[in-house]
Every structure is written in structure tokens, then in C-alpha cells.
Amino acid sequence: VSKQVLGQVLRELQPLCTAEQQFIQKFFQLSHSAADLQVLEVNRRPCRWPQGPWSSPFNHYFVLFLRLEEATMQLLSEIFSCLEAELRGLLDVCNKVHPFSCLQVLVTLDDFILEEWGSSSALHSSFLSTILDNLLLLAKSNFKRCIGTLCREMEEAKMPSKTKGGILPSLSRFEQFVSFSQELCRTARSRRELDKAHLRLARSVLRSIDSLSSANLKVSTDMVMMENFHHIHCFLCQKEIPCLEGMKREVKQRYSEHMEKYITQNLGQPLEKLHHFFEGVKARVAQGVKEEEVSFQLAYSKQELRKVIEKYPGKEVKRALETLYRTIHKYLCPEENLLPVVWQAMQQEFIHQYQKLEHLIQGCYAGSGIAMDFTLEDLQSYFSSITLGN
């Protein structure tokens, strides 16, 4: 609404001010043509112009042109003495209609100036254009102040103390502004101020997510940061804003990093005692013991390996995975739909760890017939049944 009102006011003012300026120039003989300037030069009292590179007749006419221009503007300023103040008041009213109305005002003014005076130097020197240039500066200042306030709000916003995680309120504010600006500036020819605002807000969004690392959350910090980086990445992919391509790549990388940390934190070493056992095996090999001779070490004998393997029957492993799945499901934000992604990544990591242990058993205990209670196929079926059953 504010955009329509302001646009209508400007469209009605333009012919009025232009007609008045043309009348004044004609009635008071304040023409800008070269012929009129020559007449005025002849009729004026002779004066001695300074000698030098600036003493050409053109510069004499230029001085007279400035005097005529000044006289025209002075008369128009007296006729429209309250015009700029009234327009400034209108801008103030428009800015209060919507939290982001200052952008509407800026775009409306910028587009109007470009459409009306962009291709005409004569019109650009008109009385109304001077006022609108002043209003445009004011609109830019109001917009920058609005963005500054929004950035502070986003950076200072804290995750509610009772929450278990989820998406930060600052991301919602950023998305609201971007969506509003994209709809508004779809046909705007000048996006420089908006691009600056997008980049400034993007930096504030990243700082607000980074602040989670020092927040006293009841859940995994890496989980919440993963969710927030994922959320903003999905939003940026939908909007396809050129100036935020760099941010899109950064948040994707950081989302992946925190997901990896979250998986490591929750999955840990599901076959921990086996891992610990083979850490000792690898240490002996590093000291010079041959792989085929490791089993002759008392602490790493075949009998000791069997004892460790017996602690991980297939049923217990499956039960542990079910518990892990329920824990992840409980705390992940359902709106982000990250459960399948995280669970798949955990499956891949678990299988990777399993294969490393299998390789060590085959290398150091070849021909012993020792194997874990479950196979790779069993492990894959555990994950599949858990996924399908939930």
C-alpha cells in the first residue's frame, strides 16, 4: 500500500513541478538556450573576465547558466516551500506501515528517478529531481539504519533457555526479509543497496549460529548447529540469490562438518572394546612385531580376542543400534527431516569401522577361524529393519 501511495504522489507531482518550472523560465525569461545566454551577455554591464584557460566565452555562458539556474530554483523553492518537508513526512508514514517498508520506499524512489530522469539530463536538473535526490539519500539512510537494527537483533537473540534446540529465531527474521525483498525487487533495476543488506544480514546470521557454541543447551550443540546450517542452506538454494552464493557454499560445508561431529559424538565406537584391543595390536606391529606373530603375545592371543568378541553378540549390537536410533529421533528437529540423512551417515560410519576390524582380524589372526558374531549382511539388515520399523 505504501509503495502504491508514494508512487502515485510522485507521478502526480512530476508534471505539476515540470510545468511550473517551464512557466517560470518562460515568464521571467530564465531560458537556458545558448542564444538567450548570448542576449543576456550583451545586455549585461561589461565586466573584465580573468585571463587564462578558464576565460573562454563558453565559461562566461556557464556562469550565466548557473545564475539562471539559481534564480529558477529560488523561485520554485518559494512556491513549493513545504514540498520537501511534506514528502519527508510521507516517507515517515510509509516507513511505519511494515517492518521493512523502508525498503519499499527506497525501491519506489530509486525506480521513479531512473524511469523519469535516467535518460534526460535536462529533467535531471529540474527542481523536483533535486528534492527527490535528497529524499533518496534519506531513504538510503533509513534503510541502512533498519538493517543495522535487524543485524543487532539477530546477533543478540538467544536460544530460549527451556528449549531443547531447533531453529534460531534469527534465521526466521533473515528469511522474512529476504522473501519480502525478493518479491519487492523482482523488477527493480538497482539492487546495489539490497545486495549490501543481504551480505550484511548473512554475516549476522552466521554469527548468531556460531554463538550456539557457547550457549548452555540441553542437547548436543553440534546437532543444533547442524540443523541451523542445513536450514539456511535449503532456504538459500530455493531463493538463488547471486550475491549469497558464497554464503551458500560456506553453510553447506559447515553443515557437513557439524553433522560429522554429531555422528562421531553419538555413534562413538560401537565396538569399543574391540577397537581398544586392536589399538594395542597396531601398537605392537608399529614396534616391529609381525602381524602373523601378534597372536603369540599374551595380551593379544587368540583366546583374548575371542573373549572380547563374545561381548558383542549380534542381538546386543542390534539392540544398541535401536537405542541409538530412538535417541536421535527424540532430539532431532522434525521440520528439517534430517533423521534419514543422519541415520544413513551413521550406518556408513558403522560399516566402515566394522570393515576395518574385519581387515585387522584377517591380517593378524588368519586361519584361526575367529570372526565376529555378525556379518556385514547382518549389520545391513539391522539398519534396514530399524529404518523400516520406525
Side-chain angles (χ1 to χ4, degrees):
V1 176
S2 58
K3 180 180 179 180
Q4 295 173 350
V5 171
L6 180 58
Q8 182 178 352
V9 169
L10 295 177
R11 285 191 297 273
E12 293 185 6
L13 269 178
Q14 193 272 329
L16 176 65
C17 291
T18 301
E20 190 67 27
Q21 182 166 343
Q22 291 173 348
F23 170 77
I24 287 174
Q25 290 172 340
K26 182 177 181 180
F27 186 82
F28 292 103
Q29 299 183 6
L30 300 175
S31 173
H32 298 167
S33 69
D36 291 335
L37 288 174
Q38 289 176 352
V39 171
L40 286 170
E41 173 69 5
V42 171
N43 293 335
R44 288 180 59 84
R45 185 177 61 183
C47 62
R48 186 177 181 82
W49 295 98
Q51 298 299 311
W54 293 95
S55 60
S56 67
F58 170 80
N59 291 303
H60 301 172
Y61 299 149
F62 180 70
V63 171
L64 290 175
F65 169 83
L66 292 179
R67 289 176 179 173
L68 294 175
E69 190 77 10
E70 182 180 353
T72 302
M73 293 301 173
Q74 181 63 38
L75 287 171
L76 288 168
S77 296
E78 293 178 8
I79 294 171
F80 298 106
S81 59
C82 62
L83 179 58
E84 184 168 347
E86 291 292 335
L87 287 174
R88 286 174 177 266
L90 177 60
L91 261 59
D92 289 339
V93 172
C94 291
N95 286 336
K96 296 174 182 177
V97 173
H98 185 277
F100 305 137
S101 286
C102 56
L103 177 58
Q104 285 184 319
V105 169
L106 177 59
V107 170
T108 303
L109 278 170
D110 203 26
D111 283 355
F112 182 82
I113 291 173
L114 285 171
E115 290 170 7
E116 296 298 328
W117 289 288
S119 60
S120 173
S121 58
L123 286 174
H124 189 66
S125 63
S126 69
F127 171 74
L128 182 59
S129 71
T130 303
I131 291 180
L132 294 185
D133 284 342
N134 293 337
L135 292 179
L136 185 61
L137 290 175
L138 175 63
K140 289 181 179 180
S141 176
N142 289 338
F143 180 62
K144 289 179 181 178
R145 185 163 54 250
C146 172
I147 296 301
T149 301
L150 186 57
C151 287
R152 286 193 299 274
E153 290 176 356
M154 290 166 56
E155 292 179 30
E156 295 171 2
K158 304 297 181 183
M159 185 73 80
S161 58
K162 295 182 180 180
T163 186
K164 293 181 179 179
I167 305 305
L168 281 167
S170 58
L171 270 65
S172 298
R173 292 287 286 159
F174 175 74
E175 291 171 6
Q176 289 170 5
F177 176 82
V178 171
S179 298
F180 178 84
S181 64
Q182 287 298 98
E183 183 67 25
L184 181 67
C185 298
R186 194 160 28 179
T187 58
R189 290 186 288 178
S190 176
R191 291 181 55 91
R192 188 186 309 172
E193 296 297 326
L194 182 58
D195 286 345
K196 289 180 183 177
H198 280 157
L199 290 169
R200 188 176 175 187
L201 290 169
R203 288 191 290 269
S204 293
V205 166
L206 294 181
R207 282 193 284 267
S208 69
I209 299 177
D210 285 335
S211 69
L212 288 169
S213 60
S214 59
N216 186 23
L217 300 176
K218 296 181 179 180
V219 292
S220 166
T221 301
D222 285 310
M223 180 195 76
V224 182
M225 295 181 79
M226 171 189 71
E227 291 175 330
N228 278 271
F229 281 123
H230 174 263
H231 183 87
I232 199 66
H233 179 258
C234 291
F235 175 77
L236 292 175
C237 287
Q238 293 173 0
K239 295 300 178 182
E240 298 182 348
I241 303 171
C243 71
L244 296 182
E245 283 298 311
M247 180 192 181
K248 186 168 69 174
R249 291 190 293 269
E250 180 179 352
V251 296
K252 182 181 181 180
Q253 178 183 348
R254 298 187 68 179
Y255 150 65
S256 300
E257 290 173 356
H258 284 285
M259 183 170 71
E260 184 177 343
K261 290 180 181 178
Y262 176 66
I263 289 170
T264 302
Q265 179 187 68
N266 283 271
L267 186 61
Q269 291 184 332
L271 307 173
E272 186 175 359
K273 291 183 173 60
L274 264 175
H275 280 282
H276 182 71
F277 180 89
F278 278 103
E279 285 298 321
V281 169
K282 288 187 285 186
R284 293 295 185 276
V285 172
Q287 292 169 3
V289 178
K290 295 181 180 179
E291 285 188 351
E292 59 269 20
E293 297 177 357
V294 169
S295 61
F296 296 107
Q297 302 280 318
L298 184 61
Y300 302 102
S301 65
K302 297 174 186 178
Q303 184 178 359
E304 290 299 318
L305 176 58
R306 287 190 179 96
K307 287 180 181 179
V308 177
I309 287 178
E310 287 174 357
K311 296 178 180 179
Y312 296 100
K315 291 182 180 179
E316 291 300 321
V317 171
K318 182 180 180 182
R319 187 176 295 113
L321 290 173
E322 289 171 342
T323 302
L324 177 62
Y325 183 90
R326 287 194 294 269
T327 301
I328 298 170
H329 181 272
K330 179 180 179 181
Y331 291 108
L332 278 179
C333 180
E335 291 79 10
E336 294 305 301
N337 196 32
L338 278 172
L339 180 59
V341 180
V342 172
W343 186 241
Q344 178 65 25
M346 285 192 168
Q347 177 179 343
Q348 292 173 353
E349 178 60 25
F350 195 117
I351 290 174
H352 177 65
Q353 292 184 18
Y354 173 89
Q355 290 173 328
K356 286 171 61 177
L357 293 173
E358 279 280 284
H359 178 74
L360 288 168
I361 291 173
Q362 292 170 7
C364 299
Y365 300 88
S368 65
I370 299 175
M372 283 184 270
D373 185 58
F374 53 93
T375 64
L376 177 60
E377 290 73 20
D378 292 332
L379 191 56
Q380 290 172 332
S381 71
Y382 298 160
F383 277 97
S384 296
S385 63
I386 293 170
T387 303
L388 294 173
N390 291 275

